Amino acid sequence: MTAKKTMTGPGGQERNESAVSFAWLADALGAGSAVVLDRWAEARDGMRRSRHRLVPASPGSVSDPWLARGVRGVGTGGVAPSWNPPDRIDEWPDHDVNALVKGVPSTAWRTRHVSLPSGRGEGGCDAADAVTRFQRMEAGDVLREHVRTWLSCAVGPLLRDVMLTPECGQGALSEDAAARLAIPRQIKLPARWAAANEFAERPLDLLYNLETSPDGRLSFLDAADVRAGQGEVWRGYWAWLSADVRFGEMAEALRLAARLMRSRPVVEGLLQTADSDDPQLRMIAPAVARRWLLTLKAMAWLEEAAREPWTHVRPKDLACFAFNAVKPAWRRRVVGISHRSDDAKRALRHLELWSSSRCAIDAGYVPSWETNTGMVWALYGTTPAIVRVRSPGYGESVWCLREAELTRHLVERADFLPERWVLDVEPADLGAFDAAYSAWDRETRGSEAAPVVLPEFPPSCRVWTPSPMPVWEAAMLRASAALRVINTMLAGADLTNRFVAEFLLGGVEFPGPAPTAGPGGWRDYRTVFLRFQALCAADPAEPGLRLPQGYAAEQMALDLDMLQRMPDLSTGTADLGDLLVAFEFLRTEWPLVPDDHMGRFLAVDCRGLTRERWARDERLALQRGLLAIRAPVPVWIIQLAGQAVEDWGIPGDHPIFTEHFPGQFSWMLEGSLDRRGAQSLFPASSGLELSADVRHRCREGG
């Protein structure tokens, strides 16, 4: 980042820019006849009176854009979404945590809540200067993306772009902000979303997921991929926050983001929206203001935490902990269990805590687009009771050490939640704690009739785990994807087919860079086609794959979209061959997977594998490729205890589910497409011309 002008507070300490921005925003919202705060009071009181019960299309389709949802009991053994808003627009719900703490036989410490100033905020470095400094940052810079991520979380990508735009005339940006706030109301909601819109939840989901391209066009948004309020754009947010940065760098990005949030045009857009004649549009204003205020609270905590000395906790742990506090996911938990899996998991599985919708245990958490780091800290971000199970091996786990250090910080230094407790429980006392928790849970959640009953968490989710693929089939998918990738550069079926036949199979060297910028250049593509010909085609000189004449423009568009999902290969961190197999699988086979409204997730099953087999087995090319490409759905890893997959050099930070006993992940309805069926369908589903030899191989399978 460029050199900065440092603002200092009393005693010469660098001031907390997020706290200053919080005070500035609170003051700005209080002006204008406090219309936004009045709208919050109306929405809050309406939520408390509401008896509407949501009918979700799938377990992950319920969002919490207001950060104000709870659960209600329904009949026997079920729950339904319910509203539980706090009194103030700038607070999180406490979910009656004090009643829980009073009833449990455990040592408990209340965390040290540090309130932020609510008076007039000093302007200092204004937003115009912050915009200039942001524009000087290099595209793709991790800290630049940290800034964009926090702005997006606070107000959504559409309003983020307003914050990052220099003033271009009196009132012009304010009108633009108001127009952008109205965009979600102009989009026809999918039928599956219509049932959950009492307080503009779905327009808010759109607002926090829609992006615009450089030419001003709105991004395409598939409602099925908005999981717990998070569309695919959130994958990028979690990835950037989970990147390795230094504490000082993270704090500097936070301070710049905070200064950018002193955006008068966005506040004026909210005030204008709050006076709209459209009842749902009016509700968007207080929801955005609430998300904005709470984000600044979490950022202010993070700024201070970044200044403290840490032994085990990393910058990305702090960032993901704070970010989890403001993500729009339901269900929000009341109790988070920090434990050493080897010591406590078998005991926990027999308790009511294990399947309670208000208790967070890693084995029952269903991530949306979170990284593994984000998934772990999701258990505690806004969990008002954190329970540390002090087993003998607790201090031997690096994750337990991080959790212990961070919770100690909450108790001794600072916390953004006004009502949070940290409890220590001995393994022998888990049964007593479980009984006290269950009594509190039954008493406080209530029970009433509802049109839908959801099971206690975790819900049943469809998780597709592709099986190892025959070597010849992997070679066929790899060559098919290579053909499409080359065509995105040559843009002509005839030219592409001739290029493969004459240069790649004919042995003639071709000058110039190859697509995807791999270190092997065109040699890697030649290897792909030669390997495919040797395995699948009787005549090595006659290409077994061709693009058909008149390869349709829509097919080319799909290829370009898939190409954008490929990572930069110049660093050598991913293998071109593996990526091409994943490219073709996602392009041709994945669309055939049925959508049964039980969630759509991909998982790579590493159980029973060794690190050596993972790296070398050609039958696992698809699995390696899925963890390297930017898939259109979340991709998880499943391992057995002791495998340490995180040390296998797998790119990215994918959620890892560690199985300690059979049936631990019974909520995962694992499925796999039949390889024999996929092979027989490939000639038709691929849209490519296959030679007689290749078609025969697909029919015979094996």
Side-chain angles (χ1 to χ4, degrees):
M1 294 177 69
T2 57
K4 65 182 188 302
K5 179 170 63 176
T6 302
M7 298 294 177
T8 57
Q13 183 181 20
E14 192 168 37
R15 74 179 186 182
N16 189 310
E17 293 289 348
S18 300
V20 172
S21 292
F22 176 86
W24 176 90
L25 179 58
D27 179 64
L29 293 174
S33 302
V35 62
V36 173
L37 301 182
D38 291 343
R39 294 289 181 251
W40 158 252
E42 292 173 10
R44 176 200 64 204
D45 295 345
M47 290 174 185
R48 290 172 175 172
R49 293 191 301 267
S50 175
R51 291 295 178 264
H52 174 72
R53 285 294 170 260
L54 180 62
V55 183
S58 66
S61 67
V62 184
S63 65
D64 186 14
W66 287 86
L67 310 185
R69 279 199 192 279
V71 298
R72 295 287 290 179
V74 182
T76 303
V79 294
S82 179
W83 293 107
N84 185 28
D87 290 333
R88 292 173 55 93
I89 192 173
D90 60 352
E91 292 293 353
W92 285 270
D94 63 23
H95 300 291
D96 300 312
V97 67
N98 287 330
L100 169 64
V101 173
K102 289 177 182 177
V104 297
S106 307
T107 304
W109 294 270
R110 186 170 181 169
T111 62
R112 187 170 181 264
H113 175 242
V114 178
S115 59
L116 297 183
S118 57
R120 183 176 297 276
E122 50 184 312
C125 177
D126 61 16
D129 177 60
V131 170
T132 300
R133 290 175 50 197
F134 177 83
Q135 291 176 334
R136 292 174 182 166
M137 301 176 74
E138 293 184 10
D141 181 280
V142 174
L143 301 180
R144 182 179 188 273
E145 296 305 324
H146 268 235
V147 172
R148 286 166 51 87
T149 290
W150 286 108
L151 298 184
S152 302
C153 180
V155 298
L158 297 179
L159 294 177
R160 173 200 68 199
D161 293 345
V162 176
M163 289 180 169
L164 295 175
T165 302
E167 276 282 10
C168 53
Q170 189 66 31
L173 273 184
S174 301
E175 292 299 321
D176 187 26
R180 287 169 179 257
L181 282 162
I183 286 175
R185 291 291 293 142
Q186 300 164 13
I187 297 174
K188 184 178 180 181
L189 294 176
R192 63 192 299 184
W193 277 18
N197 207 27
E198 186 181 11
F199 294 96
E201 299 101 293
R202 291 317 195 180
L204 285 166
D205 283 344
L206 289 173
L207 183 68
Y208 280 88
N209 285 284
L210 284 171
E211 291 190 299
T212 56
S213 61
D215 61 3
R217 289 180 299 171
L218 281 175
S219 60
F220 172 76
L221 183 64
D222 186 347
D225 290 332
V226 178
R227 305 162 187 275
Q230 302 172 75
E232 190 177 349
V233 63
W234 286 73
R235 180 222 303 273
Y237 304 160
W238 288 109
W240 289 116
L241 293 184
S242 300
D244 291 320
V245 297
R246 293 189 289 269
F247 285 107
E249 293 173 330
M250 180 179 70
E252 188 175 343
L254 281 167
R255 289 191 287 270
L256 179 56
R259 289 193 289 269
L260 287 163
M261 287 191 198
R262 294 171 211 156
S263 174
R264 177 62 60 180
V266 176
V267 169
E268 291 173 351
L270 288 179
L271 295 174
Q272 182 176 331
T273 301
D275 264 340
S276 170
D277 293 333
D278 180 345
Q280 287 227 328
L281 188 54
R282 284 201 302 270
M283 273 189 280
I284 289 176
V288 172
R290 174 169 167 76
R291 291 272 285 270
W292 193 353
L293 288 163
L294 292 178
T295 299
L296 282 167
K297 273 195 168 183
M299 289 170 58
W301 174 87
L302 185 55
E303 266 197 67
E304 292 300 318
R307 296 188 176 115
E308 299 290 346
W310 297 92
T311 302
H312 304 289
V313 169
R314 305 160 296 177
K316 58 186 174 184
D317 297 319
L318 295 177
C320 287
F321 180 83
F323 198 67
N324 267 295
V326 282
K327 70 179 182 183
W330 182 82
R331 309 165 187 176
R332 292 187 176 270
R333 316 306 176 85
V334 181
V335 175
I337 307 293
S338 172
H339 64 288
R340 168 75 166 174
S341 294
D342 291 342
D343 299 346
K345 209 149 234 127
R346 291 180 182 273
L348 286 169
R349 70 178 296 204
H350 298 295
L351 304 179
E352 288 191 35
L353 291 165
W354 182 262
S355 59
S356 172
S357 62
R358 296 203 281 180
C359 180
I361 299 177
D362 54 3
Y365 189 83
V366 183
S368 297
W369 294 100
E370 293 96 322
T371 57
N372 191 61
T373 306
M375 179 180 73
V376 171
W377 294 113
L379 307 176
Y380 314 111
T382 50
T383 310
I386 300 175
V387 176
R388 301 180 297 200
V389 182
R390 292 295 196 172
S391 63
Y394 187 85
E396 299 172 5
S397 162
V398 64
W399 274 110
C400 289
L401 290 172
R402 289 169 186 155
E403 291 160 17
E405 186 176 29
L406 199 150
T407 51
R408 186 167 60 250
H409 170 85
L410 298 176
V411 171
E412 298 176 358
R413 297 174 182 161
D415 190 3
F416 50 82
L417 287 189
E419 294 290 342
R420 179 156 27 205
W421 295 80
V422 175
L423 301 89
D424 279 343
V425 175
E426 296 296 323
D429 296 329
L430 276 173
F433 179 85
D434 183 61
Y437 169 86
S438 299
W440 165 86
D441 189 38
R442 287 189 295 270
E443 181 179 346
T444 58
R445 75 163 56 184
S447 183
E448 57 189 63
V452 62
V453 176
L454 292 175
E456 289 279 6
F457 237 50
S460 296
C461 290
R462 184 71 67 191
V463 181
W464 298 93
T465 52
S467 58
M469 185 178 291
V471 173
W472 72 265
E473 186 184 6
M476 179 178 68
L477 266 62
R478 188 178 293 121
S480 301
L483 193 66
R484 300 185 201 273
V485 169
I486 293 169
N487 186 58
T488 63
M489 183 181 73
L490 301 180
D494 286 341
L495 187 58
T496 299
N497 291 334
R498 285 179 53 202
F499 180 87
V500 171
E502 296 176 14
F503 288 95
L504 299 184
L505 294 179
V508 180
E509 293 296 325
F510 185 81
T516 65
W522 287 112
R523 293 191 307 276
D524 290 342
Y525 285 88
R526 173 173 286 130
T527 300
V528 165
F529 284 101
L530 289 175
R531 175 71 167 157
F532 163 66
Q533 291 289 123
L535 289 171
C536 299
D539 184 355
E542 178 64 23
L545 287 170
R546 293 179 180 272
L547 287 178
Q549 293 296 322
Y551 192 62
E554 57 267 25
Q555 298 300 317
M556 178 79 156
L558 291 173
D559 298 338
L560 287 168
D561 178 69
M562 285 303 307
L563 187 60
Q564 294 300 313
R565 296 183 176 278
M566 300 272 277
D568 180 7
L569 296 180
S570 62
T571 61
T573 56
D575 179 76
L576 173 65
D578 295 341
L579 284 164
L580 290 173
V581 176
F583 178 116
E584 191 64 20
F585 170 85
L586 294 170
R587 170 74 167 75
T588 303
E589 188 171 332
W590 180 248
L592 303 179
V593 173
D595 184 2
D596 56 7
H597 304 312
M598 299 186 72
R600 276 164 59 92
F601 300 92
L602 276 164
V604 172
D605 189 352
C606 293
R607 290 170 291 191
L609 299 180
T610 64
R611 179 172 183 166
E612 292 72 23
R613 184 186 170 193
W614 169 259
R616 299 175 183 175
D617 193 337
E618 287 191 61
R619 295 173 298 171
L620 299 175
L622 172 61
Q623 284 78 359
R624 291 190 296 267
L626 288 174
L627 292 174
I629 202 169
R630 187 170 58 85
V633 293
V635 182
W636 306 338
I637 296 172
I638 307 174
Q639 67 168 350
L640 293 174
Q643 280 190 283
V645 168
E646 61 272 18
D647 297 328
W648 289 8
I650 295 173
D653 187 20
H654 299 275
I656 299 176
F657 290 87
T658 304
E659 186 176 86
H660 291 266
F661 51 83
Q664 178 178 323
F665 302 117
S666 58
W667 55 271
M668 290 190 191
L669 302 181
E670 294 185 46
S672 179
L673 289 177
D674 174 55
R675 293 269 32 99
R676 182 70 189 86
Q679 294 160 8
S680 64
L681 290 173
F682 185 79
S685 62
S686 69
L688 302 176
E689 289 183 359
L690 279 60
S691 69
D693 296 323
V694 177
R695 291 197 304 273
H696 175 76
R697 192 61 190 266
C698 290
R699 285 196 303 270
E700 294 299 313

